[in-house]
Amino acid sequence: MRGPVVVVGDTLLDRDVEGMVNRLCPDSPVPVLDETSAVDRPGGAGLAAVFAAAQGADVVLVTALADDAGGARLSALLAAAGVRVYPLALPGATPEKIRLRARGRVLLRHDRGGASGDPGQPSDEVLRVLAAASAVLVSDYGRGVAGQPALRAALAATRAPVVWDPHPRGPAAVPGVHLATPNESEVRELVPTVPGESRLATASRGAQGLRRRWRAGAVAVTLGGDGALLCHAGSTPLVVPTAGSAEGDTCGAGDRFAAAASLALAEGALVSEAVQAAVAEASAYVADGGVATALPFPERAVAFPERAVGARGEPSPRGPRWGTSQPGGERVGVAAVAALLAEVRGAGGTVVATGGCFDLLHAGHVATLQAARQLGDCLIVCVNSDASVAGLKGPQRPVLPEGDRARLLAALSCVDAVLVFDEPTPEAVLSWVRPDVWVKGGDYASGVGDAATLPEAEVLRRWGGNTVVVPYLDGRSTSDLIARSAAGQAVGADGEPPGPVGVTAEVTSMPERTR
């Protein structure tokens, strides 16, 4: 592949809730589900991207993320699966699809959330990554991303093969796509049916109608357990059957099919070869247990739906990443950050963020935070969790648990909100927050201070953000504090208590401030 496989579309938060049914509700004749476990996973375009990444491909996902806990959860899940997210702003709430299951069978599906407006504009970096793609999969779930005008123009102009997985509520495929992959029910909604027509005749006529309407190279209609029907410009369709029985949970089978076809086209396969590979992949996926066994997201206990905090401030080891409540009150946690983002962005302000371990908060930290706050209208501090700090700095760290570190940071007047994250890098949390400016301290004495060399710089470019470096306050570090304390020495630089601090920010690129 000469470039990444790019997935474009709407991402949902899928949650499977497992439980036992042993009784009926006393006030209504409906079963009562006693919940035992649950698992969250990306759905929609996010699921297709995870499938592609699981096959070892370099995958970029262009999707819209909301400023809420669901958007934060999706960012973490996608990062854990190895998907690089290029986010667009999503006004409204993250769409969620919740399936209540007992003994492997779905009892009820509960949908909630959704956009309250159009997705935001793609950055120049998004348009560049589309132009460099080895293949593009448009996974349309009818929620607006596939209809974004700038994205559609870029999709129409790309030279990479484009696979379009349509939705009846979504827009038409851009002219010239290599392959469209509707299922039977979508074809019946998009093309009028003919009474008395056979199943294959309906699929073939519908596929040819869509191929001409969209000026597509080919249309493959997925037929569930019976494989797929592929229509080219010729009059005779190609039927690709499944290798065997494909009974089981079909949730995500269409995404698996579209992802497999996209990967095959990226490797130079013919469309007919790509469809055969996709049928084989989707059939094996269903036969092996479907989404419950195919993804790397473990079940979690449901007794702790939020990140619990012990008496000493240590987090409970159970619960999802980025719990919706954290110690320190209203300024700490996903809910606090989401409310702050909505307020600042609604007023046209500039969002600034910085991050680090902040273990034993010292004057150098404070100087960096004060300098960062001057660069915008709010400052969000992303803090490594205890597990993340131990992974980076060894089992003896951190000195202070994450609850205490979050409280101390939130108490500073220059800090507007704090968010704790578990990953070794802040990529996932940055993809959700989408700050206008990311600030890091730079050691200019040793020549380390170029914002372009920071790994976060590439992440910020995905949505047009900027990376900023401010000088370190010389002689202050947590490691030195620990060593000096252990040796019984004075803690200040040169053996003296630190005095007043003046820090000047050096900015590599800055948007115009809006007050």
Side-chain angles (χ1 to χ4, degrees), residues 61-65 85-89 126 430-432 434 462-463:
L61 173 62
V62 178
T63 192
L65 293 177
V85 180
Y86 283 58
L88 312 177
V126 169
L430 286 175
S431 295
W432 173 62
R434 301 185 308 277
R462 297 177 189 176
W463 55 89

Side-chain angles (χ1 to χ4, degrees), residues 156-181:
T158 184
R159 303 173 107 184
V162 176
V163 175
W164 196 284
D165 195 9
H167 193 282
R169 294 197 308 268
V174 297
V177 301
H178 281 62
L179 178 66
T181 60

